[in-house]
Amino acid sequence: MSSSTRDVYFVIGGSGFLGRHIVESLLARGDIVAVFDVVQRYHDVPFYSGDISEGEQVADALRKSGATCIIHTASPAHGLEDPALYWKVNVDGTAAVIAAAQAVGIRKLVYTSSAGVVFNGQNLINVDERLPYPEKAMDAYNESKAKAEALVLEANGQNGLLTVALRPAGIFGPGDRQVMSGLRDVYESNRTHFQVGDNNNLFDWTYVGNVAHAHLLAADKLSEPQEQELAQRRKDFSTTPLS
Ligand code: NAD
C-alpha cells in the first residue's frame, strides 16, 4: 500500500476548476476526500463551507474531516480590481491555513502557486526554481501568490508539517471558467486585430487533468526524506547549471 492511500485528503477550493479535477482524481484511485470552499457545487464528498481567511473555520473543518493531507487550491480569480481581496485570501488566508494545519497536527500541505510568481514581463528561458522572485511583481494577484508560496515553503518542517508548492502556468480543460470565456469575450468584442510583440512568444499551457495528477504525485512524495537521499538531492541541485 502506498503512503498516499493512507492519507485523508482535504481539498481547499475543491469546488473550483482545478480543485474539482483533484477531487475526481483522488476518488478515482479510491482515496477519502473532503472539500472546503466558500461555495458548494458538487455533492459527492463531505463538504465544509468556509472562508480560509477565518482560521477557526478551517481548523474546525480539519478536525471534523479527519484529514491528514491538505491540498490548497483556493484563490480569487486573476484580473480582479481589488488588490486587498488577493492579500486577504491568498496571504492572510494561506497563513491561516498553515496555522490551522499545525494546530490540528496535519502532516502534509500541497499548495497551488502560479508560474506568474517569478514573471515580471521579461522572457524566462531555461529557468528553474532557483530564480528569485522579481523585485516588482506583475500585479497584485501574482504578488499575493508569491507571498503565499513563500509562507508555505517557510512552514516546511515546522511543527510536523511537510509542505510543497506547485507553479502551473495556464491551465485548460473541462470546467474552466476563466480562460475560454476570456478568449471568447475578446473574439466577440472584435478585439482580435492587433498583436503584442513579434508573435513568437511562447507560453506554457497544461491540461487540467495533468495539473491535478501533479498535485497527487507531490502529495505522495511529500514524506520525510532520509538524510542520505537529501544529501544526494542537494548535490545534484547545486551542480546543475542555471542557464
Ligand atoms: P477557480 O476559481 O475555479 O477555483 C478556486 C476555488 O477557490 C473556487 O471554488 C472558490 O470558491 C474557492 N475560494 C476562493 N476564495 C476562497 C476562500 N476565501 N475560502 C475558501 N475557498 C475559496 O480557480 P482555478 O482556475 O481552479 O485555480 C485554482 C488555483 O490554481 C488557484 O490557486 C490559482 O491561483 C492557481 N492557478 C490557476 C491557473 C489557471 O490557469 N486557472 C494558472 C496558474 C495557477
Side-chain angles (χ1 to χ4, degrees):
M1 187 191 278
S2 77
S3 64
S4 64
T5 52
R6 291 195 299 272
D7 275 312
V8 173
Y9 294 88
F10 186 86
V11 182
I12 299 179
S15 301
F17 169 42
L18 172 61
R20 178 60 192 175
H21 280 270
I22 290 171
V23 170
E24 288 178 358
S25 302
L26 288 167
L27 291 177
R29 68 179 199 181
D31 282 310
I32 299 172
V33 49
V35 163
F36 181 95
D37 203 303
V38 283
V39 292
Q40 183 171 22
R41 293 198 181 90
Y42 306 91
H43 296 83
D44 52 355
V45 295
F47 176 78
Y48 297 92
S49 172
D51 184 327
I52 55 168
S53 39
E54 301 292 334
E56 257 321 301
Q57 294 181 2
V58 183
D60 195 37
L62 281 172
R63 281 191 201 96
K64 287 181 181 146
S65 68
T68 60
C69 175
I70 299 173
I71 301 183
H72 168 19
T73 72
S75 169
H78 183 240
L80 305 179
E81 286 169 21
D82 184 359
L85 180 66
Y86 289 127
W87 203 263
K88 177 171 183 270
V89 176
N90 288 342
V91 183
D92 298 342
T94 299
V97 168
I98 293 167
Q102 290 173 334
V104 173
I106 298 295
R107 223 159 56 86
K108 300 176 176 182
L109 168 62
V110 179
Y111 177 61
T112 315
S113 180
S114 167
V117 298
V118 287
F119 184 60
N120 68 353
Q122 304 298 311
N123 284 335
L124 297 176
I125 299 167
N126 287 340
V127 298
D128 64 20
E129 53 272 59
R130 285 171 290 183
L131 188 73
Y133 298 122
E135 272 175 32
K136 190 168 170 7
M138 275 291 280
D139 51 31
Y141 167 84
N142 283 301
E143 185 180 14
S144 70
K145 293 293 289 186
K147 180 67 184 160
E149 180 194 90
L151 291 175
V152 167
L153 297 180
E154 278 160 22
N156 185 41
Q158 306 295 320
N159 300 324
L161 183 67
L162 297 172
T163 70
V164 63
L166 302 180
R167 292 176 178 171
I171 308 176
F172 69 93
D176 156 55
R177 281 181 294 272
Q178 289 178 58
V179 175
M180 287 313 290
S181 58
L183 292 176
R184 208 181 66 185
D185 281 353
V186 168
Y187 176 72
E188 285 182 347
S189 56
N190 203 21
R191 287 179 286 145
T192 58
H193 54 290
F194 52 85
Q195 85 180 28
V196 179
D198 62 5
N199 207 24
N200 278 316
N201 275 43
L202 297 174
F203 186 75
D204 284 335
W205 289 95
T206 311
Y207 173 65
V208 63
N210 294 336
V211 182
H213 185 52
H215 282 70
L216 271 57
L217 294 179
D220 291 350
K221 286 285 178 191
L222 200 53
S223 55
E224 212 80 67
Q226 300 300 313
E227 202 39 55
Q228 205 181 350
E229 188 192 339
L230 258 183
Q232 184 60 43
R233 273 197 231 162
R234 283 194 201 103
K235 193 162 158 250
D236 293 346
F237 199 60
S238 62
T239 52
T240 313
L242 180 63
S243 46

